[in-house]
Structure formats: C-alpha cells, structure tokens
Amino acid sequence: MHEDCVDSHPAPGGMAIVRPGLRCGGHPERRESMTTRIQKANRKRILDAALDVFSAHGFRGATLDQIAEAAGLSKPNLLYYFDNKEAIHRALLTRLLDTWLDPLRMLDPNGDPETEILAYMRRKLHLSRDFPRESRLFANEILQGAPRIEDFIRGDLRGLVDEKAQVLSNWAQSGRIAPVDPYHLIFSIWALTQHYADFAAQIAMIRGDATDPLDGADAFLAQLYRRLLTP
Amino acid sequence: MHEDCVDSHPAPGGMAIVRPGLRCGGHPERRESMTTRIQKANRKRILDAALDVFSAHGFRGATLDQIAEAAGLSKPNLLYYFDNKEAIHRALLTRLLDTWLDPLRMLDPNGDPETEILAYMRRKLHLSRDFPRESRLFANEILQGAPRIEDFIRGDLRGLVDEKAQVLSNWAQSGRIAPVDPYHLIFSIWALTQHYADFAAQIAMIRGDATDPLDGADAFLAQLYRRLLTP
DNA sequence: GTCTATAACAAGATAGAC
DNA sequence: GTCTATCTTGTTATAGAC
C-alpha cells in the first residue's frame, strides 16, 4: 500500500488549491500528466464511498447519486475522476483482487501442516474483520455469476488453489494431517470465514446488535480445524 | 405443495381460453373471485422466472423486462398478476421463508446428538443442491442488510435459533457432544452448506465446469462434524 | 476542478384497444 | 387476459459556465 502524501481523512468539499510543482516528495516536475495530491485524495474518497455503496447494493443497485453523496462531491465531479460507473467498480475490484490471494499464497509447504492451515484460516478471518465491505463486494460479484472477475477466477485463483491443494494433498498422503479432500478443505475455510463478513447483518440480528459477530469465532474455528486435521 | 390442475411446463404465450366453471376438480362454482387454472399457472411461471432473475441480479439489478422475457409474457401482463415489482419479490421471499426454518425445526432434542446434527447438516446441504436459487435470493437479501426480512430474522429465526442453541448447549454440558459454542456451530452449518449454492459459480470455475460442485461435499462435511462433535 | 443544467436513455407502471 | 403504446420517473452521462 504505497499511499504517501495523502491524508487518510481529508476534509469534505473541494478545498486547498494546489499549484502544480508544489507537491510533497522531492520530484517537482515529474511528468506532464501528473497527479496532484488533491486528485489522489479525491480518488480515494470516491473509492471509499463507492465501496460502501457497491458492497451494500451490488453494481446495479448502486447509484452515482449515492456515491457522490457519500463522497461529499457532486455527481459530475465523480465523472471527472472516473470515466463512468463501471470504471469506479472496476477500480475497486482490481484493488481487491490484488490482495485477495495473499493469505493463501502465504501457506508455506515447508511449515508445520496444522500450524499453516490454522494460520491461513486466521488470516482469512482477519480479512473478514478488517475488510468486511471488500468481502461483500466479492460475494456480490460471485452471487451474480462472477461476470467481471471470471478471468481472475479461472486464472490466478484457480492456479493458486490447484497448487496449494497439491500441498494439502501431500500432507494428507504422508499422514501429517488426517486424510481430507483438499479442495473442500479450502472451500470450507472460505465459507466459514467469509460468512462472518457477508452474513454479518443476520448474525447481528440473531446475537443482538451489541455483541461483535466475530466474538468467539477464532476459538471455535481453531477447535474445528484442530479436530478435523489431527491424524 | 398442493398444485393440482397446473401443468409444470405450460406452453409459452397466452393460450387456451378457459370458460369459468370448466375447472379441473369437482367444484364448478366455488366462489366469486376464483382463480382459474391459467392464472395459477401464469403466477407460477412468473414466480419461477422472477426467481431466476432476482437470485442472479438482486432486487435492484433485476428488471421487469428480464422477468417478462424469461416468463414468456409481456411486461404489462406481469403487472396484471402482481401489483408491482416489489410484490413479485415479496411473494418469492414469503414462499421461501415459509420453509426456510424447517430443517432446523426438525432437529430433535430427544434424538442422538451427533445423528441429529449431521442430519440437520444434510438437510441444509440438500437445500443448497435442490434450491440453489432460493439460497442466492436469501443471500442477496442478507448481503444488502436484510431490509425486507429483518422482522423474520429478529423474530421467528432468532427464536428458533435460541431454542435449538439451548438444546445443543445441553448436549455439550452433559458431555454427549464435545463442548462447542452452539451459535457458532449453527452458523458454521449455514456457512458450509449455503456456500455450495451461493458460491457455486466460483467453485465451478475452479473445479472445472464439468464436475458437480457438491461432489464429495457430503462426505467431507460429515467427517468434519463427526470429528468436531465427538466428545 | 467543480459546479448547474440538461440531454439521453432505461425501467416501472398505466391506458385503453382487442 | 393480453397486448401495443405511452406516461413518468430515476439514472447515467455530457455541456458549458465559472
């Protein structure tokens, strides 16, 4: 995440005229079509607002009005920064997919099997805790048949899953974990962890809106996978 | 499901004029505002088409044009049978929620704990296999914050979950199953079974579109819950 | 860069003939 | 009951002033 020179919580509305050449880091005139800090900040504001709206209503359900309202900008101003609605959505997905594979990628074939699998589960669980909107954006996309991320799934994701499934399979065959179907094992981790983000509304309504939906989840899932994997 | 006198696959378009009084079963003139067999069949066609479209695109993403196209009827004709778009969606949700609780309701406090829990898991898994569209309709609704089914969740669903969680808790405390958090146990069954319907697109793209996403799921989940629950 | 105003179009819903 | 045609509104996107 390389985001220097950008406030994380900029004041709303258009403010602070920035003269070109007066930028943060030591490169006064890097190139012709440069990006000012305001532009960066506004793009960020827009994407954050858009994440709120798209994750809650899906692509079609979201409107530019809602996003503009949430970003504190006018609708035409949104379209100054992004070509169209689709482009905003695509930017969000791209940013998401860029890091979506990391937790699984980190699963180390040379580590201790149970430790590695539990750590992977925890990384996914923390993703649900820290980035629930991203999880729901992804879920919306899959629910609708994954029209915009089909290439990613059939390509990078499938490749990585196949690779790690082989690792799990080896661990099972060598008796270091109990014999389990590696694909279902991976799917189960996705299902169990993402559920806490995607179905958070339901969980909150059942457990009471006060309690944190993720309370006790880590302990429960750790117990579950220890018992499942012990040879 | 009481659906007599209705073809399951009626020919498309408006056909077959039915004179009132010429209905199937022996009640020639039951009441004034009666429902003809065509009406019944068309309502069914509409709801089936709507289920396709709503489950794939969400409420806002679905259009009456798509539903009309899928049902083989004209858009105004749709609105002859249902007051508006909302009414179609509400009819689907009502029909769904009516049976959504059944699998959990059947969990018998007097049965064998492990057998009962595994049977519940299987009933949910079969729901994902036989009614994946309904599962996705529900998932769409929850993802968007459950605006239309909040009362159901806070009422009937929560009540039933609390009741059955108590049963599970008793089983755990009496040592008949391993000590587990009953709520997380229930959530885990929802997550693991519904995942095969809600994320079917992703699973198909990873495992290859040929193989059935549910292949091996039953065995894997049975193994998982046996190991988790054994005292 | 940001806004107001508005064009262009999609989508829900209705009117009225048949 | 079903259709074609149409009204109305909401939504994306653009024009053009500042």
Side-chain angles (χ1 to χ4, degrees):
Chain A
M1 289 278 174
H2 182 59
E3 289 288 0
D4 42 13
C5 323
V6 173
D7 311 76
S8 29
H9 294 290
M15 30 69 259
I17 291 126
V18 172
R19 278 174 294 273
L22 250 182
R23 287 195 312 295
C24 50
H27 307 279
E29 241 121 72
R30 212 160 359 185
R31 32 192 145 122
E32 294 309 283
S33 76
M34 57 212 161
T35 309
T36 71
R37 60 198 271 189
I38 294 184
Q39 283 177 327
K40 259 194 175 176
N42 274 344
R43 288 186 95 89
K44 210 175 167 172
R45 290 156 57 77
I46 293 169
L47 287 177
D48 189 66
L51 181 55
D52 265 350
V53 180
F54 280 129
S55 67
H57 300 98
F59 181 75
R60 284 283 317 274
T63 71
L64 290 180
D65 273 321
Q66 291 173 299
I67 298 172
E69 160 87 27
L73 272 68
S74 72
K75 194 161 46 167
N77 208 2
L78 243 61
L79 296 167
Y80 169 79
Y81 287 97
F82 292 90
D83 284 347
N84 48 40
K85 183 181 175 180
E86 178 85 28
I88 304 178
H89 192 255
R90 190 169 41 243
L92 284 175
L93 275 183
T94 304
R95 201 178 61 171
L96 166 61
L97 298 187
D98 196 38
T99 59
W100 196 244
L101 298 179
D102 287 347
L104 182 53
R105 211 180 263 128
M106 290 171 73
L107 189 116
D108 181 4
N110 300 315
D112 171 64
E114 189 183 288
T115 309
E116 286 298 319
I117 295 168
L118 278 169
Y120 171 49
M121 178 275 286
R122 284 208 175 85
R123 285 192 294 272
K124 285 288 292 175
L125 196 59
H126 290 167
L127 231 52
S128 282
R129 184 192 60 196
D130 298 334
F131 303 99
R133 297 178 304 172
E134 281 83 350
S135 183
R136 286 193 284 270
L137 184 75
F138 187 81
N140 257 307
E141 205 56 24
I142 303 291
L143 261 181
Q144 306 184 4
R148 284 169 272 259
I149 56 177
E150 186 165 347
D151 288 350
F152 166 80
I153 296 177
R154 293 193 191 277
D156 290 356
L157 179 55
R158 180 176 179 166
L160 183 64
V161 167
D162 283 343
E163 174 196 330
K164 298 302 184 182
Q166 191 55 55
V167 173
L168 296 171
S169 183
N170 291 341
W171 284 343
Q173 288 202 330
S174 61
R176 301 184 67 191
I177 58 173
V180 290
D181 181 299
Y183 287 93
H184 286 291
L185 176 57
I186 292 174
F187 296 155
S188 76
I189 294 175
W190 294 351
L192 287 169
T193 56
Q194 292 172 198
H195 185 83
Y196 287 101
D198 303 343
F199 288 73
Q202 176 175 237
I203 294 177
M205 292 177 190
I206 287 176
R207 307 206 63 179
D209 307 77
T211 42
D212 174 15
L214 274 151
D215 212 53
D218 192 328
F220 174 81
L221 294 182
Q223 177 185 8
L224 186 152
Y225 280 108
R226 268 199 216 98
R227 282 174 161 265
L228 172 63
L229 296 171
T230 303
Chain B
M1 289 277 174
H2 182 61
E3 290 289 0
D4 43 13
C5 325
V6 173
D7 311 75
S8 29
H9 294 290
M15 30 74 249
I17 292 126
V18 173
R19 278 174 296 273
L22 249 182
R23 287 196 312 293
C24 51
H27 306 280
E29 241 122 70
R30 214 164 353 186
R31 33 191 145 123
E32 295 308 285
S33 76
M34 56 213 162
T35 310
T36 71
R37 61 198 270 189
I38 294 184
Q39 284 177 328
K40 260 194 176 175
N42 274 344
R43 289 185 94 89
K44 209 176 166 171
R45 292 156 55 77
I46 293 170
L47 287 177
D48 190 65
L51 182 55
D52 266 349
V53 180
F54 280 128
S55 67
H57 301 99
F59 181 75
R60 286 283 315 272
T63 71
L64 290 180
D65 274 318
Q66 290 173 298
I67 299 172
E69 160 87 28
L73 272 67
S74 71
K75 192 162 48 167
N77 208 3
L78 243 59
L79 296 167
Y80 169 78
Y81 286 98
F82 293 90
D83 284 347
N84 48 39
K85 182 181 176 180
E86 177 86 28
I88 304 177
H89 192 255
R90 191 168 40 242
L92 285 174
L93 275 183
T94 303
R95 200 178 62 171
L96 166 61
L97 298 187
D98 196 37
T99 59
W100 196 245
L101 298 180
D102 287 348
L104 182 53
R105 211 180 263 127
M106 289 172 73
L107 188 115
D108 182 4
N110 300 315
D112 172 64
E114 189 184 289
T115 309
E116 286 298 320
I117 295 168
L118 278 169
Y120 171 50
M121 178 275 286
R122 285 209 174 84
R123 285 193 293 272
K124 284 288 293 175
L125 196 59
H126 291 168
L127 231 53
S128 282
R129 183 191 60 197
D130 298 334
F131 303 99
R133 296 177 305 171
E134 280 83 351
S135 184
R136 287 193 283 269
L137 183 74
F138 187 81
N140 258 305
E141 205 56 23
I142 302 290
L143 260 181
Q144 306 185 3
R148 284 169 273 260
I149 57 176
E150 186 165 347
D151 288 350
F152 167 81
I153 296 177
R154 293 193 190 277
D156 290 357
L157 179 56
R158 179 176 181 168
L160 182 64
V161 167
D162 283 342
E163 174 196 329
K164 297 302 185 181
Q166 190 55 56
V167 172
L168 297 171
S169 183
N170 290 341
W171 284 343
Q173 287 202 330
S174 62
R176 301 183 69 191
I177 58 172
V180 290
D181 181 300
Y183 287 94
H184 286 291
L185 176 57
I186 292 174
F187 296 155
S188 76
I189 294 174
W190 293 352
L192 287 168
T193 56
Q194 291 171 199
H195 186 83
Y196 287 101
D198 303 343
F199 288 73
Q202 176 175 237
I203 295 177
M205 292 177 189
I206 287 176
R207 306 206 62 180
D209 307 78
T211 43
D212 174 15
L214 274 151
D215 213 54
D218 192 327
F220 174 81
L221 293 182
Q223 178 185 9
L224 185 151
Y225 281 108
R226 267 198 217 98
R227 281 173 161 266
L228 172 64
L229 296 171
T230 302

